[in-house]
């Protein structure tokens, strides 16, 4: 089940979309003009946004551009008019993920929606962001403020363990088991060294960690952001 925002001013299209999506078990909310779409889009959280181009008040391109500027990363499928090839490109340039040409078949749209929801769920698992850092586990990449930072496989595994346990204190034993493997002979000291090195790569001020904090006598905790 997904939460889907539909931004569309044509009542009959809204109605048939809502009917079909709800029948698929999704939750839908409709915005009838661009301004409302932008407002609701920012409020979220949405799993997907269907966005018409020709809208009262603010067109779909503006809405898409503004949402991306505001940091909204929800997949957006634009509903473009047939024959408007340029519309597709503009939409994709502005950060839309896909487009469907009107008049579209419900079945086609349904397939696209399914594909994007699946991909988004996968990306969520494999990508993580905090502070000015972005980790892409599939590509084994760490970026800070968009710049690639060198990171070893082991550090990446360690970071993954922390990110998957945000807010929880992990003992050194738990960390070793999760990041190195059961029965691997790694000293507590080696864990500390890896944490020390990792901090240099992810912390704004490594000597005063904001994310990877030490919990005296217990281990480490990756701070959940507020
Ligand atoms: Ca329209």
């Amino acid at each position: 089940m997904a939460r889907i925002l539909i931004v569309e001013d044509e009542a009959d299209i809204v109605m048939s979309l809502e009917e079909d999506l709800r029948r698929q078990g999704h939750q839908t909310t409709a915005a009838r003009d661009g301004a409302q779409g932008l407002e609701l889009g920012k409020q979220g959280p949405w799993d997907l946004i269907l966005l018409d181009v020709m809208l009262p008040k603010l067109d779909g391109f503006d809405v898409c551009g503004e949402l991306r500027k505001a940091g909204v990363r929800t997949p957006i499928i634009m509903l473009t008019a047939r024959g408007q090839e340029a519309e597709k490109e503009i939409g994709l340039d502005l950060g839309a993920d896909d487009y469907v040409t009107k008049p579209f078949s419900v079945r086609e749209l349904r397939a696209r929606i399914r594909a994007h929801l699946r991909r988004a769920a996968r990306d969520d698992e494999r990508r993580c962001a905090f502070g000015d850092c972005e980790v892409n586990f599939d590509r084994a990449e760490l970026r800070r403020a968009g710049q690639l930072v060198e990171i070893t496989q082991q550090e990446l595994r360690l970071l993954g363990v922390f990110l998957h346990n945000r807010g929880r204190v992990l003992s050194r034993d738990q960390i070793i088991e999760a990041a190195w493997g059961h029965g691997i002979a790694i000293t507590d000291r080696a864990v500390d060294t890896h944490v020390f090195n990792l901090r240099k790569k992810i912390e704004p001020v490594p000597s005063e960690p904001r994310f990877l904090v030490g919990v005296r006598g217990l281990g480490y905790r990756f701070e959940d952001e507020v």
Side-chain angles (χ1 to χ4, degrees):
M1 193 211 65
R3 294 148 302 184
I4 300 176
L5 174 65
I6 303 166
V7 190
E8 165 69 80
D9 57 322
E10 284 162 73
D12 48 343
I13 295 183
V14 174
M15 212 160 64
S16 70
L17 280 177
E18 288 209 295
E19 201 182 289
D20 186 68
L21 292 171
R22 284 181 183 168
R23 208 179 305 135
Q24 307 290 308
H26 300 309
Q27 264 176 30
T28 61
T29 300
R32 306 303 285 272
D33 63 56
Q36 196 192 8
L38 178 57
E39 200 187 310
L40 286 173
K42 280 183 187 168
Q43 280 170 17
W46 305 104
D47 297 304
L48 188 94
I49 299 174
L50 296 176
L51 180 57
D52 186 27
V53 174
M54 297 287 285
L55 289 164
K57 294 191 183 170
L58 206 59
D59 72 28
F61 298 136
D62 289 334
V63 175
C64 182
E66 289 297 319
L67 285 175
R68 291 300 186 234
K69 251 188 258 168
V72 175
R73 293 170 62 178
T74 310
I76 295 178
I77 300 179
M78 307 269 323
L79 310 177
T80 62
R82 186 178 292 285
Q84 303 289 311
E85 290 304 313
E87 283 192 352
K88 297 168 187 169
E89 269 176 49
I90 298 171
L92 296 176
D93 282 349
L94 285 167
D97 297 273
D98 205 352
Y99 54 83
V100 170
T101 308
K102 280 177 166 183
F104 49 80
S105 79
V106 170
R107 191 199 282 179
E108 182 197 356
L109 183 60
R110 213 188 278 156
R112 297 286 184 91
I113 289 173
R114 240 193 338 262
H116 283 281
L117 290 176
R118 246 197 327 259
R119 190 196 298 171
R122 218 168 38 225
D123 284 359
D124 264 8
E125 260 170 48
R126 307 292 305 161
R127 273 160 58 170
C128 236
F130 55 92
D132 62 353
C133 298
E134 203 174 337
V135 197
N136 185 323
F137 290 99
D138 285 327
R139 304 170 78 158
E141 276 180 6
L142 168 67
R143 285 178 187 272
R144 246 180 113 167
Q147 299 295 308
L148 270 181
V149 175
E150 219 175 287
I151 187 162
T152 67
Q153 282 299 322
Q154 189 53 51
E155 285 164 350
L156 204 62
R157 257 202 303 277
L158 186 61
L159 182 56
V161 169
F162 282 119
L163 287 170
H164 282 113
N165 290 281
R166 284 184 192 221
R168 277 180 57 196
V169 179
L170 297 176
S171 70
R172 289 178 178 76
D173 283 345
Q174 286 173 317
I175 293 168
I176 292 168
E177 171 129 12
W180 276 270
H182 186 68
I184 300 289
I186 293 282
T187 61
D188 287 358
R189 195 57 184 277
V191 174
D192 295 339
T193 305
H194 273 84
V195 167
F196 178 80
N197 291 332
L198 194 52
R199 277 178 178 155
K200 286 195 284 193
K201 302 185 178 181
I202 63 168
E203 293 285 352
V205 185
S207 57
E208 293 165 39
R210 189 173 107 198
F211 298 110
L212 228 178
V213 300
V215 183
R216 195 176 292 275
L218 291 174
Y220 294 98
R221 178 180 63 222
F222 198 93
E223 287 291 354
D224 237 338
E225 276 179 281
V226 217

